[in-house]
Amino acid sequence: MRAMNQVAKTTPSPPQVSNTFAIRTIGRKRAPYDDLYHSVLTSSWWLFFALVALAFISANALFAVGYLMQSGSIANAREGSFQDAFFFSVQTMATIGYGGMAPATLFGHIMVTFEAIVAMLGVALVTGITFAKFSRPTARVLFADKAVIAPRDGVPHLMFRMANWRRNTILEAQLRVILLVEETTPEGQVMRRPMELSLVRDRNPLFLMTWTAMHRIGEESPFHGADALARLRARKAELFLSLMGTDETFAQTVHARRGYRLSDIVVGAQFADVLTILEDGTRVIDYRPFHDVVPLEEFALQQAASPESA
């Protein structure tokens, strides 16, 4: 089988929180408000702040309309001015109180009281959600774009490369690799069946730098045989990686995941070397060729010519 040529070395982008395959559903109504808290927590920061700003402006606009329902309810405000009523509502909701405008009637005082209650609840809610989003532990694990199949100790292995993007340590990191295949039951039903692939080493006590996980392709492996990829391709196979560990900074469990298609597997290649150990023991990781794969012949020549690899 052909091997992939080495591509240009470019610094990889920071890993995303989720990089599994997209899922589209039919027959399920999209209603993020049904689980609003989860939707807000998993939204991006820019969307969260946009929603907060929209809610703040909408609430003040609604209260401005309420103040205009009674003429003269705001002292020193222009008659029928939505602008004055809006900014009076902003001052009330934010507890600024410049002193230029104030409630002038019983109706105005009632509206201010109701708005103060709404403002206190709103500030508490936004503060709590902001803290929850800010403190939610997340893993920043960089997965290589490709997986490779190469011999190790005379036996072919399926290999995946990962790196801890943060400058900390993930303690007791555990990796699971699932092969999802399509099969037909004797009754004629088509179903998706997950198969867990055994790894040579599925745990990393100190995931600090890079980690190349390997699945030994023995006779029991679904990747065994010259036509293995063709057979798996006919069964619409996909690979999913799930990594879990304890972030030493937060002392909480973090997760990372990645999906690979069979087209992402390069046969007869190795990952480009990214780790160099200096004479003083310093380990240097070069992320620029992190996603590069090198054909086995070229890789062997590079290893022979590299003094760091000797």
Side-chain angles (χ1 to χ4, degrees), residues 11-33:
T11 302
S13 302
Q16 303 297 319
V17 174
S18 175
N19 45 16
T20 53
F21 301 138
I23 298 176
R24 185 178 63 176
T25 58
I26 299 176
R28 187 181 70 177
K29 184 179 179 181
R30 181 175 177 82
Y33 49 83

Side-chain angles (χ1 to χ4, degrees), residues 1-309:
M1 298 183 182
R2 65 179 181 86
M4 188 179 195
N5 293 330
Q6 185 175 1
V7 298
K9 295 181 179 180
T10 56
T11 302
S13 302
Q16 303 297 319
V17 174
S18 175
N19 45 16
T20 53
F21 301 138
I23 298 176
R24 185 178 63 176
T25 58
I26 299 176
R28 187 181 70 177
K29 184 179 179 181
R30 181 175 177 82
Y33 49 83
D34 287 345
D35 197 356
L36 186 60
Y37 182 69
H38 181 270
S39 299
V40 172
L41 279 185
T42 55
S43 65
S44 60
W45 277 105
W46 72 266
L47 179 59
F48 172 69
F49 287 126
L51 291 175
V52 171
L54 179 62
F56 184 77
I57 294 174
S58 300
N60 283 289
L62 182 63
F63 276 104
V65 173
Y67 288 119
L68 292 177
M69 292 177 62
Q70 184 185 67
S71 179
S73 61
I74 304 175
N76 301 324
R78 290 172 293 180
E79 186 69 23
S81 173
F82 177 81
Q83 177 178 324
D84 286 357
F86 177 82
F87 288 114
F88 172 71
S89 174
V90 170
Q91 295 174 28
T92 302
M93 187 168 290
T95 65
I96 297 174
Y98 289 121
M101 292 183 289
T105 64
L106 176 62
F107 175 79
H109 282 286
I110 294 175
M111 286 291 296
V112 166
T113 302
F114 182 65
E115 183 172 4
I117 295 174
V118 173
M120 287 188 295
L121 293 176
V123 170
L125 183 63
V126 172
T127 301
I129 295 177
T130 302
F131 178 76
K133 281 183 65 67
F134 187 78
S135 60
R136 187 165 65 100
T138 57
R140 292 177 66 83
V141 177
L142 182 65
F143 293 88
D145 290 338
K146 300 290 182 180
V148 300
I149 292 180
R152 180 63 59 92
D153 297 328
V155 180
H157 285 68
L158 174 63
M159 306 181 190
F160 310 92
R161 180 153 74 177
M162 300 152 286
N164 186 3
W165 191 259
R166 286 197 176 110
R167 295 184 177 180
N168 69 344
T169 303
I170 297 179
L171 305 174
E172 299 299 331
Q174 180 179 0
L175 179 69
R176 299 182 65 184
V177 180
I178 301 297
L179 177 68
L180 192 63
V181 296
E182 185 178 279
E183 66 177 21
T184 303
T185 65
E187 294 77 18
Q189 294 180 340
V190 179
M191 60 181 298
R192 304 284 283 174
R193 184 167 71 92
M195 303 170 57
E196 186 166 359
L197 300 183
S198 60
L199 299 176
V200 176
R201 181 167 61 93
D202 63 353
R203 294 178 183 271
N204 193 337
L206 299 173
F207 185 21
L208 175 62
M209 300 181 295
T210 61
W211 181 9
T212 300
M214 297 179 291
H215 163 67
R216 186 179 185 276
I217 304 179
E219 294 183 356
E220 72 286 351
S221 171
F223 288 89
H224 184 265
D227 61 340
L229 289 180
R231 286 188 283 105
L232 291 174
R233 194 173 292 110
R235 300 177 68 182
K236 301 178 181 179
E238 296 173 331
L239 285 162
F240 293 93
L241 277 64
S242 174
L243 185 141
M244 180 178 66
T246 302
D247 189 296
E248 67 169 354
T249 303
F250 302 106
Q252 296 187 47
T253 302
V254 291
H255 306 265
R257 56 189 181 274
R258 180 65 155 89
Y260 288 96
R261 303 185 188 276
L262 293 184
S263 58
D264 296 325
I265 300 176
V266 183
V267 181
Q270 289 275 16
F271 291 114
D273 194 11
V274 297
L275 180 62
T276 303
I277 303 178
L278 304 181
E279 293 182 357
D280 61 355
T282 302
R283 290 169 171 80
V284 179
I285 302 177
D286 184 0
Y287 283 105
R288 290 173 296 178
F290 183 83
H291 296 292
D292 297 354
V293 295
V294 184
L296 285 177
E297 297 80 6
E298 183 178 345
F299 182 83
L301 292 176
Q302 288 185 3
Q303 290 294 94
S306 175
E308 294 86 356
S309 302

